[in-house]
Amino acid sequence: MNSVPVVPVVTASGVRMSYGDTQVLNGVDFSVAPGEVSCVIGPSGSGKSTFLRCVNGLEPVLGGSLRVLGEEVGYDLRDGKYHPWSPKRFAAFRTKIGMVFQRFNLFAHQTALENVACAPVHVTGVSAAQARETAMEHLDQVGLADHMHKRPHQLSGGQQQRVAIARALAMNPTLMLFDEPTSALDPELVDEVLEVMKRLAREGMTMIVVTHEIGFAREVGDTLTFFDEGVVVEQGTPGELLTNTRQARTKAFLSSVL
Ligand code: ADP
Ligand code: MG
């Protein structure tokens, strides 16, 4: 019997990136399989956000290889040569990846519904009516059907973040990236956002989640990766990493967040 090889959604090998002279990613090795919930932790400044931005094609990879959704991010290989992507090509790539930030980044002058319906209309060209209908379904899925006509300032931080998740889902992404999605929220609003993310995880969405919510990683994470100084220091299942921590740097970090 033939077994079908699983093609990873993300494969980073020795990924390097710098801002000017500041080396930020120093050879990241990391991979994510389809349906995997990959949680990432690490100190501030260790390169977690930069890595997500590279995965999304928002920052250029300056060394190593980064394959996402079957493509070398930023380059097409033709006639034995690498050709850099055009801005249009980057935009097409990004439609397949949903990103949720620490700050919700909603359009302040638009309602929740308009925020969610906006990208499908402008990027994929579905009709406004169709986009609104789909947006309503997505808002319903994040528990905000009753709030769809409110603007961001009329919503709590947790509700705004759920709108941001619905907005990312509206493009039917293959991969979702979360960059500390609950760290700007008041503590009592964290769970409502984590619940939405847990449901997505259980539905089989492939996700990379940068979070210090260790309980979330334990409950739905397939892997937990510790970043420090621009490299992956340690990786395992959350159970392994949390109970059999091997590296001193990981231990020190965990003792600061647990
Ligand atoms: P983390 O998300 O783990 O906190 P970041 O990826 O945001 O880390 O940052 C890694 C390093 O890159 C930090 O030293 C930060 O100061 C630096 N950095 C991040 N963004 C920029 C930028 N736009 N320009 C210059 N340096 C940056
Ligand atoms: Mg960050």
Side-chain angles (χ1 to χ4, degrees):
M1 211 171 75
N2 290 330
S3 63
V4 180
V6 174
V7 179
V9 176
V10 176
T11 314
S13 316
V15 167
R16 293 182 177 275
M17 198 277 175
S18 55
Y19 293 108
D21 292 339
T22 313
Q23 190 78 26
V24 174
L25 300 179
N26 293 305
V28 172
D29 297 318
F30 185 86
S31 81
V32 182
E36 182 175 334
V37 177
S38 175
C39 296
V40 174
I41 54 173
S44 179
S46 58
K48 306 178 299 296
S49 296
T50 302
F51 181 68
L52 289 190
R53 291 171 61 79
C54 288
V55 169
N56 206 5
L58 291 168
E59 299 290 354
V61 169
L62 301 177
S65 163
L66 179 59
R67 294 188 68 78
V68 177
L69 304 173
E71 307 183 88
E72 189 70 34
V73 179
Y75 298 94
D76 284 323
L77 184 58
R78 282 195 311 274
D79 313 325
K81 283 191 199 138
Y82 284 102
H83 300 266
W85 286 357
S86 65
K88 203 171 160 186
R89 181 80 173 77
F90 269 109
F93 170 74
R94 277 190 209 112
T95 63
K96 299 182 230 168
I97 303 174
M99 183 134 185
V100 176
F101 302 89
Q102 182 174 342
R103 293 265 156 218
F104 332 118
N105 298 343
L106 297 178
F107 300 117
H109 59 288
Q110 292 185 352
T111 64
L113 186 64
E114 288 163 349
N115 264 282
V116 178
C118 183
V121 171
H122 290 102
V123 181
T124 60
V126 300
S127 73
Q130 178 62 56
R132 280 173 73 87
E133 195 162 311
T134 313
M136 283 182 206
E137 285 165 23
H138 283 113
L139 283 167
D140 190 33
Q141 280 169 17
V142 300
L144 291 175
D146 294 340
H147 300 276
M148 64 174 111
H149 299 301
K150 292 187 181 165
R151 288 174 205 274
H153 73 93
Q154 297 168 300
L155 298 168
S156 72
Q159 289 170 331
Q160 289 184 56
Q161 194 58 304
R162 287 187 280 150
V163 174
I165 295 172
R167 184 175 61 174
L169 293 174
M171 293 295 287
N172 284 324
T174 310
L175 168 66
M176 284 285 286
L177 308 177
F178 291 88
D179 194 357
E180 303 202 36
T182 60
S183 55
L185 297 175
D186 291 335
E188 73 273 19
L189 302 177
V190 166
D191 280 349
E192 64 189 66
V193 174
L194 292 180
E195 283 306 317
V196 167
M197 294 167 60
K198 284 178 196 171
R199 218 199 58 224
L200 260 184
R202 293 194 183 104
E203 287 170 2
M205 177 62 80
T206 309
M207 321 177 18
I208 304 178
V209 185
V210 175
T211 185
H212 296 157
E213 294 291 337
I214 300 297
F216 173 88
R218 244 188 217 286
E219 193 178 333
V220 295
D222 296 304
T223 50
L224 183 58
T225 301
F226 175 65
F227 262 65
D228 195 19
E229 296 182 357
V231 293
V232 169
V233 172
E234 188 162 358
Q235 185 176 59
T237 64
E240 272 165 13
L241 199 92
L242 295 167
T243 50
N244 277 328
T245 316
R246 293 185 303 270
Q247 304 291 332
R249 282 196 274 175
T250 319
K251 276 184 195 158
F253 176 77
L254 284 172
S255 67
S256 74
V257 292
L258 285 174

